Amino acid sequence: MSSSKRVFQISGIKIPNKKKVLVNGIQQLGGKYIGGSVYQHCSTHLIVPQVLSSEKFLAACAAGKWVVTPDYVLDSLKNGSWLAEGPYETAISTSVHPAFYPVRQWREKVASGRLTGAFQGWRVLLMVQDPSRRAMFKRLLEAGMAKVYYCPLSSHASITHVMAKPITESSKKQNAPCYPVTHIVQHLFGKDFNIKDKQLTAEEDISMDAVLPDLETEIKDYVIQQKGRPRLFFLEFLCYSDLHLQQSQAAEADFVNVGSMIECGLFTEALNTLRSAVFPGLLPPAPYLVSLLQYAQQGNASSVFLRDFQQVLHRLLIINPPWWLPNTARKYFTQVLQCPQCKAGLWPFLQTAISYCLSSEVTCHPLPGPALPALLHFHGDLLAFVLKLFQGEFHSVTTGDSLLPEGAGVPLPSASGSLLYLTFWTVWERSTLLSSAVKKLTQLLIQAATEDYSERDATQKLRLADTLVDLLSVLVEFWCHQHLKLNESLVEKSLKDLAEHFTVVSQGVSPSVLIELVVRIPSTRLKLVISDAIFRNLCCRNGLIVRDEPLSLKKMVSSYLPALGSLGGSPIGARLRTERSSHSCTSQGTSSRVRSTPVTETSPGKENIPRGLNRVNAAGETLLHRACKRNQVETLLQILALPDTDVNVKDHAGWTPMHEACNHGSTACVEALLRHHPAPILNSQVAGVSPLHDALLNGHMDIAKMLLEHAGSVLLQHDKDGNTALDLVTVTSQREDLLHSAQVGDLALGNRMSEVVNLPLLEAGSCLLAHLIFSYKMERGLLGRTQPGDKAHILGCRLVRALKTQSHQKVTSGWADQRAVRVVEDAETLLGLRRGHYLGQVSQAVRECKAENTLFLMEILEDMKSQGEALVADL
């Protein structure tokens, strides 16, 4: 280039003065400048401030021309002659490619004579509807030495490519592979290359104008469709109540004898008469069934009678379901399904049956005891029958009139007057999922799970927990179905409240029981929130810090996955439990510190129990708080040695024993607390004050170092105002000492995560996380493997195309719907999994673990990685 004349074009410089300086410089050095907005093939150089999405840049790249920065002209002007172009060639620096030169490969091939252009040998049929865009693509392709044809194609023309925008059936039928116009960019720069920091590929200029508009709306519609779909299906109810069956000719008088039989104590004969007189549209008098139910509950009925009574109930439900005959059958079942003595409604009836199966004395009235095996199974069957009734009601509400017989003349089922609503929600409770009945049902479910899933003879189990978890799933899906369209935020809050209530009532229950319960939850919506709550609780009880933020795929792979290594590295003596506590693992208090008041003297307890253990003063401080304030290590060790000691108990202001020990400089107590397992929660804050803040505010540097060496730099994270605990220290040497202690803590944590020493705890966490990810995928409908051509597939391709050139923050900039934003973030996380960004956070010991649940979790993660690959491959 030293002897030939340089011909320049400029692109991407909009400021007139800067452009004028460059043009004058070119002319002073003997070069030539060509203006205009389109690429000129006679040019030899293109000046751009950065990689652009302009026609000139793409065409110069395809033609193998020099593409340099403005500094090339300015520095050459200072030098008085043209410099070598190489140091000024346009490059892109990213975290993946330190110095990527998108034009160099084509320039070198053209200069060496190996190619005449990037598209050498291409014979392209260009099918672009917009005339101006069609002309632009023609110039671009011809710059790379492609031959371009238009429709209609002559008979003697032979083509190698079809470039279409948009792709239509006509473009696919041509005698050559059909590509979107974005294939031009992929050919020039490669499929996997992204340009960040506002440097956009030409792909954006070519296709992003068709990607981003209305993308939020389409994703929002997709999310609404996913949330509105039914989670539970009960196809068995399709055959219920064939209203075309001929009505029975039985008269009301036929049941008079039944009443007489009951009065004479001939209960078996009365039941047999009812069995032969059950027909569609004809319901036996409710008082007769109530009398027979009362007889069955007294414990004197034979097993045959109990079985036949259940058959009558099921026959009534099949041919006279309350959802098809709401004015009669619903009221009828309400009268029958209640305690014969109390007549207080369906929920007390259910509660009594559950309590009897659990051998509990809490019933509406005394029942035969000890619990008789036949009567236990009878009450279990009653619960299963009521569950079937509720499932049918839920099925009718979610399917509407789509399954009604044509011309049946039956009104649509009404959810507001359903037995589900009447049983579990009062009129004043219907705006919340967590009614008093639902709370009690959750407690009974935990009790049943503890009994059913414990180690004992399976033949003796009623599988009561299975029935109750199915019942709770129906309730949750029914309530969410009624409120989702009206107030989605209310639904999310109510589900979160239910999950928190579940963790509170399940304190002290073995995680193995809770995991077994999670596995059996049929509703993915309920499984998602329950498994998330249990996993967070398991982490908190073992001293792990989990970010308190909305659940997302990114949170699971960036926060929950690394926690598995810490669970597996917990001391082998760590107990697999969730102790009862008066605090929440994620809540933060806002009260100011309150000092204690004197405690009244208590009578001596047992010899091995510290005096005053169960006394709480006016500030809510336990003996554990007071021992830490006074540095009474012996008392503290006595308390920690007791079973079920909650080391994170809070007083009325929210302060924990660790807060008090750090505040008062009780070094020995801090050491003892840190050695205890489960470990104390060190990031618990009250008005932004953590134990580390307490230590630094009071000048206890030794305690601060001890905390950092135990937990690492996680205690130095920025708060919402951008401040850290280190901001409390003004002496440079002290700050350096604290940072060194944090590094020591990080190193120690890394060593603890390098091997699995607590396999049961790791397996529990892996199982929960596997079900959590599975439920999340089902609930949120992650875009991945879809059928080509369907809406989800098209939407996924558009979304990935946008994310290949921009971050999810830029794609969603200005979006108001957070649901759509979360879908984009999930897609970006899937693409990150494809590139291996998150799996590296899992410790090698966990990845190599051969235990069943951990292997299953690793398979799920690999499947998600392949989902990300499928998203890219579909482009």
Side-chain angles (χ1 to χ4, degrees), residues 63-80:
K65 304 297 177 69
W66 280 105
V67 181
V68 294
T69 63
D71 289 338
Y72 173 65
V73 175
L74 300 177
D75 290 350
S76 295
L77 192 59
K78 294 177 182 178
N79 185 57

Side-chain angles (χ1 to χ4, degrees), residues 7 18 42 53 70 157 353 376 382 637 663 702 722 730 752 776 846 870:
V7 181
K18 289 186 178 181
C42 63
S53 57
L376 281 174
L382 281 178
L637 293 175
N663 183 62
D702 54 338
T730 58
R752 289 201 294 269
Y776 189 88
V846 173

Side-chain angles (χ1 to χ4, degrees), residues 184-198:
I184 297 172
V185 180
Q186 294 176 358
H187 177 74
L188 291 174
F189 300 128
K191 294 182 178 181
D192 297 329
F193 188 74
N194 292 326
I195 298 178
K196 300 181 179 179
D197 298 330
K198 301 183 179 180

Side-chain angles (χ1 to χ4, degrees), residues 332-347:
Y332 180 81
F333 279 102
T334 303
Q335 294 174 344
V336 171
L337 298 175
Q338 59 180 338
C339 175
Q341 299 183 26
C342 305
K343 300 185 185 301
L346 183 50
W347 169 241

Side-chain angles (χ1 to χ4, degrees), residues 116-128:
T116 58
F119 309 126
Q120 177 184 318
W122 287 25
R123 295 183 298 278
V124 181
L125 174 60
L126 191 58
M127 302 180 67
V128 178

Side-chain angles (χ1 to χ4, degrees), residues 777-844:
K777 290 169 61 178
M778 297 295 295
E779 279 298 298
R780 304 291 162 83
L782 294 182
L783 299 171
R785 297 188 184 91
T786 52
Q787 293 297 324
D790 65 15
K791 291 183 178 180
H793 180 265
I794 296 173
L795 181 60
C797 290
R798 293 183 62 195
L799 182 54
V800 173
R801 187 172 292 115
L803 290 172
K804 279 176 70 66
T805 58
Q806 301 180 81
S807 66
H808 89 272
Q809 290 90 348
K810 184 165 185 180
V811 171
T812 59
S813 177
W815 288 17
D817 195 296
Q818 291 303 310
R819 299 170 301 181
V821 173
R822 190 160 47 193
V823 170
V824 178
E825 184 186 84
D826 288 342
E828 186 180 57
T829 304
L830 272 181
L831 296 178
L833 282 169
R834 166 183 170 267
R835 294 187 289 267
H837 286 180
Y838 299 102
L839 294 180
Q841 300 182 32
V842 184
S843 67
Q844 184 177 357

Side-chain angles (χ1 to χ4, degrees), residues 516-530:
E516 185 71 22
L517 184 59
V518 166
V519 171
R520 297 169 185 268
I521 297 177
S523 165
T524 54
R525 194 195 320 256
L526 180 60
K527 180 181 289 189
L528 178 66
V529 296
I530 295 297

Side-chain angles (χ1 to χ4, degrees), residues 372-598:
L372 304 175
L375 208 52
L376 281 174
H377 285 283
F378 176 72
H379 282 95
D381 292 340
L382 281 178
L383 292 171
F385 170 77
V386 175
L387 171 63
K388 187 71 65 179
L389 188 154
F390 288 153
Q391 288 174 338
E393 255 195 348
F394 172 76
H395 174 79
S396 68
V397 169
T398 54
T399 56
D401 61 345
S402 59
L403 301 176
L404 280 172
E406 185 176 356
V410 179
L412 289 175
S414 172
S416 60
S418 64
L419 289 174
L420 275 166
Y421 253 149
L422 296 175
T423 303
F424 292 97
W425 292 276
T426 65
V427 176
W428 300 275
E429 292 178 323
R430 294 189 178 184
S431 61
T432 177
L433 171 62
L434 204 58
S435 64
S436 57
V438 174
K439 287 182 179 179
K440 186 60 180 178
L441 177 64
T442 305
Q443 297 175 15
L444 294 172
L445 170 61
I446 297 298
Q447 296 178 32
T450 304
E451 182 174 335
D452 281 4
Y453 304 147
S454 59
E455 296 295 334
R456 63 189 181 98
D457 187 3
T459 59
Q460 298 178 0
K461 298 181 182 179
L462 296 174
R463 313 311 301 181
L464 176 63
D466 293 352
T467 301
L468 297 186
V469 76
D470 288 345
L471 178 57
L472 184 61
S473 296
V474 170
L475 297 183
V476 169
E477 290 300 328
F478 172 80
W479 188 89
C480 290
H481 181 270
Q482 299 305 308
H483 293 82
L484 187 62
K485 293 182 179 179
L486 299 176
N487 194 337
E488 185 175 336
S489 60
L490 174 64
V491 171
E492 292 184 357
K493 181 182 181 302
S494 296
L495 288 171
K496 183 178 179 180
D497 292 342
L498 175 61
E500 290 182 355
H501 177 71
F502 184 92
T503 57
V504 169
V505 299
S506 62
Q507 303 288 356
V509 178
S510 169
S512 59
V513 172
L514 298 179
I515 291 170
E516 185 71 22
L517 184 59
V518 166
V519 171
R520 297 169 185 268
I521 297 177
S523 165
T524 54
R525 194 195 320 256
L526 180 60
K527 180 181 289 189
L528 178 66
V529 296
I530 295 297
S531 57
D532 180 48
I534 297 175
F535 185 86
R536 287 188 291 108
N537 195 39
L538 186 65
C539 290
C540 289
R541 297 305 176 193
N542 288 277
L544 304 181
I545 299 174
V546 178
R547 298 199 309 265
D548 186 20
E549 61 185 32
L551 184 64
S552 66
L553 183 60
K554 185 175 182 179
K555 178 182 180 180
M556 284 186 279
V557 299
S558 64
S559 181
Y560 288 1
L561 266 181
L564 284 180
S566 299
L567 289 175
S570 298
I572 194 62
R575 298 171 62 182
L576 198 62
R577 63 180 187 181
T578 52
E579 290 84 352
R580 182 172 298 278
S581 172
S582 59
H583 83 289
S584 172
C585 291
T586 58
S587 61
Q588 295 183 359
T590 57
S591 304
S592 59
R593 182 169 289 235
V594 180
R595 295 300 169 187
S596 61
T597 57

